[in-house]
Amino acid sequence: MKTKSLNLAIAATAFVAVMPSQSFAERTETAAQALVNRAATALGGAENIRNVHTLQLKGYAQTAYMWGTGGTITADLDAPLKWQANNALSYSWDFDNKRYQTKYRSNFLFPFAAAFGHAYYLDNRIVDGDIAYNLTEDGKAFRVGYSTPGPLETDGAYDRRMWSLTNPLSALRAALTGAVKASNYRIAGRHELIDLEEKAGRLTLAVDRTSGLPHHIQWTTIQSNLGKVTYTTTFTGYTPVNTLLLPLAAKTTLDWRNTVYRNLYVDGYIINGEIDPLAAPESVRSAALPDALAPTLSVEKVADRVWRISSGTTVLEFADHMTLFELYGNQALAQATLQLARTIKPGKPVTELIVSHHHFDHTGGFRVAVAAGLRVISQRNNEAILRELASRKAPGVPDALPAGGTFKFVGVDEHLTLGDSAYQLELYRVVGNNHMTDAIFAYDPKSHVMIEGDIGTAAEDWQFWADSYQDNIEKYGLTVSKISPVHERVFTHDELIEFIRGGAKRVANRCAKYAEAANYLPGCPAFMHRAW
C-alpha cells in the first residue's frame, strides 16, 4: 500500500520537480522523460533495455477480417466477425539498424472463394528505416509503398514503423536512446500519457500509474473506407524474460465500432539472438515507390449503354446522366475509375453510384463517390453503415473526404426500377448467398446483361455459394446473356455456368479430402441444393 501511494505521489509531483524557469512545453518534456525512466525501471532497468540489440517475439494471432464489420455477412452491429489466423508468427527487431520484420502464415477461418485465403501462405514483411519490402516464399524481394490503405489492412513503410514501436520494450528503448522524442506529459485516469515522436509519426504511450508498466500504445493511420483510424494496443500478462518484464498478450482495438482488430498471443521472446538478415537489397532500394504508380485502366463495351472498366466498375448510360455500379478497391483506384468513366460520354455527368454490398473491398472507393456528390443506391439495410463510413473524418492526411460528408440515399428492398426515356435498369435483392445478405444486383432487360458483385464471380478457385447465381435468375424470372462482374471478366451465361461448376467441384473435392483426414474446414461440406 505504501508503494502504491509513493508511485502516485511521484506522478502527481512530476510537473513541480522541474526548473521553474522552464516553459510549459519544456516542463512537459521533462516530465515525459521522467515517465520514460520510471517505466524503464519497472520493465527491468534502463541499462538492461539499452543493451537489447535484437529481439524476437514468437507466437500466433488472429486478425479481424476486413476491419471487422467490413467483412461480415451483414453490416448489423451485432453481426459476428470473421477471423484470419496468423500462425507460425514471429516479430523481429534489429534496434541498432532500425529494422523490423513481421512473419507469419495466414489462413481465413471462414469459407473464402480464392485459394490464397486457405493456403497458409507466407507473409514476410520488413521495414529497413523508411524502406518497406516483402519477401516471397522463394526469397524474391519487392518494394512496398509508404502507405497502402487497402480493404484488408493498412500497410507500408509508415505502418510498419508504427507497428515496430508498438511494444513496451521497443517503445521505451527508442525513447531512452533518442530514436524518438518523448513529450506532452499528461494524466488520464489511472494512466500517465506521453507522446513519442519520430520521423514517421507520433504514438501515445500510456503507463499504469500503480505498476509503472506500459499499459497501451496508440497511433493513427489512414484507411480508404474509414478515413483516419486509431489503433490502441493494450499489453497484459507481463512475465520475467531474462532481466526484463515483457507481456505475453496484446489486444489491438479500433476506434471503429469498438472493434477488436487483433489478438496477439506470445509463446516467448529471444533477446539478442540471431535474426533474419533484414537489410533492404539494392534492387528494393532502387525500385520506384508503388504509391506513385497511377492505376492503368481500360474500358470494354458490354452492350448498348453498358461499359465495364477494368477496375470492376460497370458504367450505365441514361438519357442525361451516367450511373456507376461499384467503386472497388481503394480511393486511388476509385479516383482513376471515376475520371475514366466521365470520358465515356463527356456530355453526361456521373451522378449515381450503386453499391452491391457493404464489404470493404466493394466500398473502398465510397468516400470518393460521396466527395463527388453522387447519389447512393444500395440495399436498404446498408444505409446505416454507409452513412457511418461517409461521416468519419480524416483531418491532416490524404483522403477524398477529410471532413466527412453526407449523401442522398435510395434504398432497395426487393426490387427497384431506375429508368428514363432512354434507358431502364432493374435492381434486385440478392438471394441464396451465404457470403452476403444485404446485397443487390442490376439487370438490363433490353440487352439481358446482369451486373453483379460476388454472386457467381467472387473468385475462380472455390464456389462455396454455387447455387446463388441460378437461384437469383429463377426467383426473378430473368434471361441472362452476359454478366458484367466486379471481379473476374465479362462472361456469357454459359461461360459463367461452367465457371461456377468448376469451382463447385473443386470445393467439394477439397472438403472431402480434408474430411478423410478428420480435418473439418469452415464451410465444409459446401451447402448446395443443385447437382454440379
Side-chain angles (χ1 to χ4, degrees):
M1 194 66 177
K2 290 182 179 179
T3 300
K4 179 179 178 180
S5 299
L6 179 61
N7 287 339
L8 290 173
I10 291 173
T13 58
F15 275 130
V16 298
V18 295
M19 296 297 293
S21 60
Q22 288 182 314
S23 68
F24 178 78
E26 290 172 331
R27 291 199 301 273
T28 60
E29 187 174 327
T30 301
Q33 195 58 48
L35 180 61
V36 168
N37 294 333
R38 292 200 303 279
T41 299
L43 208 67
E47 193 60 29
N48 288 331
I49 292 173
R50 290 191 190 96
N51 286 333
V52 177
H53 302 285
T54 66
L55 176 69
Q56 281 182 289
L57 179 159
K58 301 285 188 177
Y60 57 98
Q62 294 98 38
T63 303
Y65 175 66
M66 283 197 182
W67 302 82
T69 317
T72 47
I73 293 172
T74 173
D76 192 290
L77 282 166
D78 294 321
L81 304 188
K82 295 179 178 179
W83 293 92
Q84 172 183 329
N86 306 137
N87 294 350
L89 177 147
S90 68
Y91 297 163
S92 297
W93 289 263
D94 174 355
F95 293 117
D96 296 336
N97 294 297
K98 207 175 179 180
R99 295 169 184 155
Y100 173 67
Q101 175 191 44
T102 66
K103 185 165 61 172
Y104 52 81
R105 292 190 177 273
S106 180
N107 183 61
F108 292 169
L109 303 176
F110 55 91
F112 194 71
F116 79 84
H118 297 291
Y120 284 105
Y121 70 92
L122 178 65
D123 200 320
N124 191 352
R125 308 179 186 192
I126 300 167
V127 61
D128 178 1
D130 58 0
I131 297 175
Y133 69 100
N134 287 2
L135 283 176
T136 63
E137 192 91 50
D138 58 1
K140 293 179 181 177
F142 62 92
R143 189 162 185 177
V144 176
Y146 181 73
S147 177
T148 53
L152 287 176
E153 59 189 342
T154 62
D155 189 28
Y158 167 77
D159 284 84
R160 295 183 190 187
R161 285 298 306 151
M162 294 294 100
W163 284 119
S164 76
L165 292 166
T166 307
N167 175 276
L169 190 149
S170 65
L172 289 176
R173 190 185 190 282
L176 290 167
T177 59
V180 299
K181 178 182 178 182
S183 62
N184 193 23
Y185 174 88
R186 64 262 191 208
I187 296 175
R190 63 188 183 92
H191 301 131
E192 296 175 83
L193 309 179
I194 56 173
D195 292 336
L196 303 177
E197 298 183 55
E198 68 143 31
K199 179 182 176 182
R202 176 188 298 171
L203 307 91
T204 295
L205 169 66
V207 174
D208 187 279
R209 293 174 65 183
T210 302
S211 68
L213 292 170
H215 180 264
H216 66 261
I217 292 175
Q218 190 174 79
W219 51 278
T220 62
T221 190
I222 183 68
Q223 201 272 335
S224 280
N225 308 73
L226 298 173
K228 204 168 188 177
V229 180
T230 300
Y231 292 111
T232 301
T233 300
T234 302
F235 308 102
T236 54
Y238 278 90
T239 191
V241 180
N242 295 1
T243 59
L244 300 173
L245 289 177
L246 296 176
L248 289 184
K251 179 175 71 175
T252 299
T253 58
L254 304 175
D255 66 335
W256 154 249
R257 297 189 163 187
N258 197 31
T259 299
V260 175
Y261 175 70
R262 178 172 293 148
N263 290 315
L264 172 66
Y265 308 86
V266 182
D267 292 330
Y269 294 91
I270 301 172
I271 294 176
N272 291 333
E274 291 292 325
I275 62 173
D276 292 345
L278 304 181
E282 182 54 37
S283 61
V284 167
R285 292 182 176 276
S286 60
L289 271 175
D291 294 348
L293 303 177
T296 301
L297 301 177
S298 60
V299 179
E300 174 184 0
K301 187 165 186 177
V302 180
D304 185 36
R305 297 181 176 271
V306 182
W307 296 265
R308 183 182 184 276
I309 298 177
S310 54
S311 58
T313 293
T314 297
V315 185
L316 307 151
E317 181 191 1
F318 290 83
D320 61 357
H321 70 279
M322 308 289 275
T323 295
L324 306 183
F325 186 99
E326 217 85 297
L327 273 174
Y328 175 83
N330 57 45
Q331 291 189 20
L333 184 62
Q335 293 279 18
T337 298
L338 181 57
Q339 183 177 353
L340 182 56
R342 287 168 171 157
T343 68
I344 293 176
K345 291 289 180 177
K348 296 183 179 181
V350 175
T351 62
E352 296 175 319
L353 172 67
I354 300 169
V355 178
S356 70
H357 61 295
H358 78 282
H359 287 171
F360 271 17
D361 53 339
H362 292 262
T363 56
F366 180 69
R367 289 172 68 85
V368 170
V370 176
L374 304 190
R375 184 173 75 152
V376 177
I377 305 166
S378 190
Q379 208 284 322
R380 192 173 302 280
N381 292 338
N382 292 324
E383 180 177 4
I385 191 171
L386 294 177
R387 292 204 181 280
E388 196 174 346
L389 296 181
S391 68
R392 288 180 61 87
K393 296 176 174 57
V397 296
D399 184 79
L401 209 61
T406 60
F407 55 89
K408 183 177 180 181
F409 181 79
V410 177
V412 180
D413 293 310
E414 184 170 287
H415 172 237
L416 178 69
T417 299
L418 302 177
D420 57 24
S421 59
Y423 187 66
Q424 180 176 310
L425 188 71
E426 307 294 339
L427 302 179
Y428 297 99
R429 182 172 185 175
V430 174
V431 299
N433 193 296
N434 55 40
H435 176 65
M436 53 190 184
T437 60
D438 304 327
I440 59 174
F441 68 92
Y443 177 71
D444 179 338
K446 184 177 180 181
S447 63
H448 305 298
V449 172
M450 174 191 277
I451 304 111
E452 58 86 40
D454 289 6
I455 296 177
T457 58
E460 181 177 4
D461 302 306
W462 295 315
Q463 290 282 346
F464 280 99
W465 47 93
D467 299 326
S468 185
Y469 171 66
Q470 286 184 291
D471 284 353
N472 281 280
I473 289 176
E474 291 178 6
K475 175 176 175 60
Y476 299 113
L478 308 180
T479 299
V480 176
S481 62
K482 283 186 178 180
I483 298 90
S484 183
V486 176
H487 306 290
E488 304 299 331
R489 59 178 177 85
V490 174
F491 289 94
T492 66
H493 170 76
D494 290 341
E495 287 173 339
L496 185 56
I497 291 297
E498 288 306 306
F499 181 88
I500 294 170
R501 179 175 289 117
K505 289 181 178 179
R506 283 188 290 274
V507 78
N509 291 338
R510 180 175 183 270
C511 289
K513 175 183 176 181
Y514 276 81
E516 287 178 1
N519 190 345
Y520 301 99
L521 302 177
C524 287
F527 181 83
M528 304 178 195
H529 61 82
R530 299 175 186 274
W532 289 100

PDB file of all heavy atoms in Angstrom, residues 189-206:
ATOM      1  N   GLY A 189      -7.014   9.502 -15.925  1.00  0.00           N
ATOM      2  CA  GLY A 189      -7.481   8.401 -15.096  1.00  0.00           C
ATOM      3  C   GLY A 189      -6.330   7.699 -14.411  1.00  0.00           C
ATOM      4  O   GLY A 189      -5.500   8.323 -13.741  1.00  0.00           O
ATOM      5  N   ARG A 190      -6.244   6.409 -14.585  1.00  0.00           N
ATOM      6  CA  ARG A 190      -5.201   5.638 -13.916  1.00  0.00           C
ATOM      7  C   ARG A 190      -3.937   5.509 -14.761  1.00  0.00           C
ATOM      8  O   ARG A 190      -3.068   4.702 -14.464  1.00  0.00           O
ATOM      9  CB  ARG A 190      -5.712   4.245 -13.531  1.00  0.00           C
ATOM     10  CG  ARG A 190      -6.117   3.354 -14.676  1.00  0.00           C
ATOM     11  CD  ARG A 190      -6.784   2.078 -14.168  1.00  0.00           C
ATOM     12  NE  ARG A 190      -7.134   1.147 -15.232  1.00  0.00           N
ATOM     13  CZ  ARG A 190      -6.339   0.172 -15.662  1.00  0.00           C
ATOM     14  NH1 ARG A 190      -5.150   0.006 -15.119  1.00  0.00           N
ATOM     15  NH2 ARG A 190      -6.747  -0.656 -16.618  1.00  0.00           N
ATOM     16  N   HIS A 191      -3.831   6.316 -15.824  1.00  0.00           N
ATOM     17  CA  HIS A 191      -2.670   6.240 -16.696  1.00  0.00           C
ATOM     18  C   HIS A 191      -1.961   7.585 -16.799  1.00  0.00           C
ATOM     19  O   HIS A 191      -2.584   8.642 -16.765  1.00  0.00           O
ATOM     20  CB  HIS A 191      -3.072   5.782 -18.106  1.00  0.00           C
ATOM     21  CG  HIS A 191      -3.743   4.457 -18.140  1.00  0.00           C
ATOM     22  ND1 HIS A 191      -4.921   4.224 -18.816  1.00  0.00           N
ATOM     23  CD2 HIS A 191      -3.411   3.277 -17.551  1.00  0.00           C
ATOM     24  CE1 HIS A 191      -5.279   2.970 -18.665  1.00  0.00           C
ATOM     25  NE2 HIS A 191      -4.376   2.375 -17.890  1.00  0.00           N
ATOM     26  N   GLU A 192      -0.660   7.532 -16.933  1.00  0.00           N
ATOM     27  CA  GLU A 192       0.140   8.683 -17.330  1.00  0.00           C
ATOM     28  C   GLU A 192       0.455   8.527 -18.818  1.00  0.00           C
ATOM     29  O   GLU A 192       0.829   7.432 -19.266  1.00  0.00           O
ATOM     30  CB  GLU A 192       1.433   8.736 -16.533  1.00  0.00           C
ATOM     31  CG  GLU A 192       1.224   8.934 -15.034  1.00  0.00           C
ATOM     32  CD  GLU A 192       2.538   8.859 -14.287  1.00  0.00           C
ATOM     33  OE1 GLU A 192       3.248   9.888 -14.247  1.00  0.00           O
ATOM     34  OE2 GLU A 192       2.859   7.777 -13.767  1.00  0.00           O
ATOM     35  N   LEU A 193       0.311   9.600 -19.571  1.00  0.00           N
ATOM     36  CA  LEU A 193       0.464   9.546 -21.019  1.00  0.00           C
ATOM     37  C   LEU A 193       1.596  10.440 -21.483  1.00  0.00           C
ATOM     38  O   LEU A 193       1.804  11.535 -20.944  1.00  0.00           O
ATOM     39  CB  LEU A 193      -0.830   9.984 -21.723  1.00  0.00           C
ATOM     40  CG  LEU A 193      -2.147   9.322 -21.314  1.00  0.00           C
ATOM     41  CD1 LEU A 193      -3.293   9.908 -22.120  1.00  0.00           C
ATOM     42  CD2 LEU A 193      -2.077   7.819 -21.494  1.00  0.00           C
ATOM     43  N   ILE A 194       2.302   9.972 -22.494  1.00  0.00           N
ATOM     44  CA  ILE A 194       3.277  10.807 -23.192  1.00  0.00           C
ATOM     45  C   ILE A 194       3.183  10.502 -24.679  1.00  0.00           C
ATOM     46  O   ILE A 194       2.696   9.441 -25.091  1.00  0.00           O
ATOM     47  CB  ILE A 194       4.725  10.564 -22.708  1.00  0.00           C
ATOM     48  CG1 ILE A 194       5.091   9.077 -22.843  1.00  0.00           C
ATOM     49  CG2 ILE A 194       4.921  11.067 -21.303  1.00  0.00           C
ATOM     50  CD1 ILE A 194       6.554   8.787 -22.540  1.00  0.00           C
ATOM     51  N   ASP A 195       3.632  11.445 -25.496  1.00  0.00           N
ATOM     52  CA  ASP A 195       3.729  11.224 -26.931  1.00  0.00           C
ATOM     53  C   ASP A 195       5.161  10.860 -27.286  1.00  0.00           C
ATOM     54  O   ASP A 195       6.119  11.401 -26.705  1.00  0.00           O
ATOM     55  CB  ASP A 195       3.314  12.471 -27.707  1.00  0.00           C
ATOM     56  CG  ASP A 195       1.839  12.775 -27.565  1.00  0.00           C
ATOM     57  OD1 ASP A 195       1.068  11.835 -27.275  1.00  0.00           O
ATOM     58  OD2 ASP A 195       1.464  13.945 -27.740  1.00  0.00           O
ATOM     59  N   LEU A 196       5.311   9.934 -28.224  1.00  0.00           N
ATOM     60  CA  LEU A 196       6.618   9.545 -28.748  1.00  0.00           C
ATOM     61  C   LEU A 196       6.643   9.920 -30.213  1.00  0.00           C
ATOM     62  O   LEU A 196       5.828   9.430 -31.007  1.00  0.00           O
ATOM     63  CB  LEU A 196       6.842   8.041 -28.565  1.00  0.00           C
ATOM     64  CG  LEU A 196       6.750   7.506 -27.132  1.00  0.00           C
ATOM     65  CD1 LEU A 196       6.920   5.993 -27.127  1.00  0.00           C
ATOM     66  CD2 LEU A 196       7.795   8.171 -26.238  1.00  0.00           C
ATOM     67  N   GLU A 197       7.567  10.788 -30.589  1.00  0.00           N
ATOM     68  CA  GLU A 197       7.605  11.292 -31.954  1.00  0.00           C
ATOM     69  C   GLU A 197       8.908  10.898 -32.631  1.00  0.00           C
ATOM     70  O   GLU A 197       9.985  11.011 -32.045  1.00  0.00           O
ATOM     71  CB  GLU A 197       7.466  12.809 -31.972  1.00  0.00           C
ATOM     72  CG  GLU A 197       6.149  13.313 -31.406  1.00  0.00           C
ATOM     73  CD  GLU A 197       6.028  14.820 -31.513  1.00  0.00           C
ATOM     74  OE1 GLU A 197       6.172  15.335 -32.626  1.00  0.00           O
ATOM     75  OE2 GLU A 197       5.806  15.459 -30.468  1.00  0.00           O
ATOM     76  N   GLU A 198       8.777  10.448 -33.882  1.00  0.00           N
ATOM     77  CA  GLU A 198       9.938  10.204 -34.718  1.00  0.00           C
ATOM     78  C   GLU A 198       9.614  10.669 -36.128  1.00  0.00           C
ATOM     79  O   GLU A 198       8.538  11.231 -36.377  1.00  0.00           O
ATOM     80  CB  GLU A 198      10.322   8.718 -34.698  1.00  0.00           C
ATOM     81  CG  GLU A 198       9.347   7.773 -35.350  1.00  0.00           C
ATOM     82  CD  GLU A 198      10.069   6.633 -36.077  1.00  0.00           C
ATOM     83  OE1 GLU A 198      11.145   6.232 -35.659  1.00  0.00           O
ATOM     84  OE2 GLU A 198       9.522   6.171 -37.097  1.00  0.00           O
ATOM     85  N   LYS A 199      10.506  10.420 -37.050  1.00  0.00           N
ATOM     86  CA  LYS A 199      10.317  10.885 -38.420  1.00  0.00           C
ATOM     87  C   LYS A 199       9.020  10.363 -39.024  1.00  0.00           C
ATOM     88  O   LYS A 199       8.293  11.086 -39.703  1.00  0.00           O
ATOM     89  CB  LYS A 199      11.508  10.437 -39.275  1.00  0.00           C
ATOM     90  CG  LYS A 199      11.412  10.837 -40.738  1.00  0.00           C
ATOM     91  CD  LYS A 199      12.615  10.311 -41.502  1.00  0.00           C
ATOM     92  CE  LYS A 199      12.495  10.625 -42.991  1.00  0.00           C
ATOM     93  NZ  LYS A 199      13.649  10.072 -43.756  1.00  0.00           N
ATOM     94  N   ALA A 200       8.681   9.110 -38.742  1.00  0.00           N
ATOM     95  CA  ALA A 200       7.499   8.504 -39.363  1.00  0.00           C
ATOM     96  C   ALA A 200       6.201   9.072 -38.815  1.00  0.00           C
ATOM     97  O   ALA A 200       5.219   9.232 -39.548  1.00  0.00           O
ATOM     98  CB  ALA A 200       7.522   6.989 -39.183  1.00  0.00           C
ATOM     99  N   GLY A 201       6.149   9.343 -37.525  1.00  0.00           N
ATOM    100  CA  GLY A 201       4.890   9.811 -36.959  1.00  0.00           C
ATOM    101  C   GLY A 201       4.929   9.847 -35.451  1.00  0.00           C
ATOM    102  O   GLY A 201       5.994   9.817 -34.833  1.00  0.00           O
ATOM    103  N   ARG A 202       3.730   9.874 -34.864  1.00  0.00           N
ATOM    104  CA  ARG A 202       3.586  10.035 -33.420  1.00  0.00           C
ATOM    105  C   ARG A 202       2.758   8.900 -32.833  1.00  0.00           C
ATOM    106  O   ARG A 202       1.738   8.508 -33.393  1.00  0.00           O
ATOM    107  CB  ARG A 202       2.919  11.369 -33.104  1.00  0.00           C
ATOM    108  CG  ARG A 202       2.640  11.600 -31.629  1.00  0.00           C
ATOM    109  CD  ARG A 202       1.805  12.846 -31.424  1.00  0.00           C
ATOM    110  NE  ARG A 202       2.512  14.034 -31.892  1.00  0.00           N
ATOM    111  CZ  ARG A 202       1.952  15.232 -31.986  1.00  0.00           C
ATOM    112  NH1 ARG A 202       0.682  15.397 -31.676  1.00  0.00           N
ATOM    113  NH2 ARG A 202       2.669  16.260 -32.406  1.00  0.00           N
ATOM    114  N   LEU A 203       3.218   8.405 -31.687  1.00  0.00           N
ATOM    115  CA  LEU A 203       2.473   7.424 -30.917  1.00  0.00           C
ATOM    116  C   LEU A 203       2.222   7.995 -29.533  1.00  0.00           C
ATOM    117  O   LEU A 203       2.961   8.875 -29.062  1.00  0.00           O
ATOM    118  CB  LEU A 203       3.236   6.105 -30.772  1.00  0.00           C
ATOM    119  CG  LEU A 203       3.769   5.408 -32.020  1.00  0.00           C
ATOM    120  CD1 LEU A 203       5.184   5.877 -32.321  1.00  0.00           C
ATOM    121  CD2 LEU A 203       3.751   3.894 -31.836  1.00  0.00           C
ATOM    122  N   THR A 204       1.202   7.462 -28.859  1.00  0.00           N
ATOM    123  CA  THR A 204       0.959   7.800 -27.460  1.00  0.00           C
ATOM    124  C   THR A 204       1.204   6.554 -26.621  1.00  0.00           C
ATOM    125  O   THR A 204       0.656   5.485 -26.901  1.00  0.00           O
ATOM    126  CB  THR A 204      -0.480   8.297 -27.260  1.00  0.00           C
ATOM    127  OG1 THR A 204      -0.655   9.530 -27.958  1.00  0.00           O
ATOM    128  CG2 THR A 204      -0.767   8.513 -25.783  1.00  0.00           C
ATOM    129  N   LEU A 205       2.046   6.701 -25.611  1.00  0.00           N
ATOM    130  CA  LEU A 205       2.341   5.626 -24.663  1.00  0.00           C
ATOM    131  C   LEU A 205       1.621   5.925 -23.359  1.00  0.00           C
ATOM    132  O   LEU A 205       1.753   7.017 -22.801  1.00  0.00           O
ATOM    133  CB  LEU A 205       3.849   5.525 -24.418  1.00  0.00           C
ATOM    134  CG  LEU A 205       4.297   4.619 -23.264  1.00  0.00           C
ATOM    135  CD1 LEU A 205       3.962   3.164 -23.550  1.00  0.00           C
ATOM    136  CD2 LEU A 205       5.792   4.798 -22.997  1.00  0.00           C
ATOM    137  N   ALA A 206       0.843   4.948 -22.881  1.00  0.00           N
ATOM    138  CA  ALA A 206       0.147   5.064 -21.603  1.00  0.00           C
ATOM    139  C   ALA A 206       0.807   4.124 -20.598  1.00  0.00           C
ATOM    140  O   ALA A 206       1.008   2.938 -20.885  1.00  0.00           O
ATOM    141  CB  ALA A 206      -1.328   4.718 -21.757  1.00  0.00           C
TER     142      ALA A 206
END
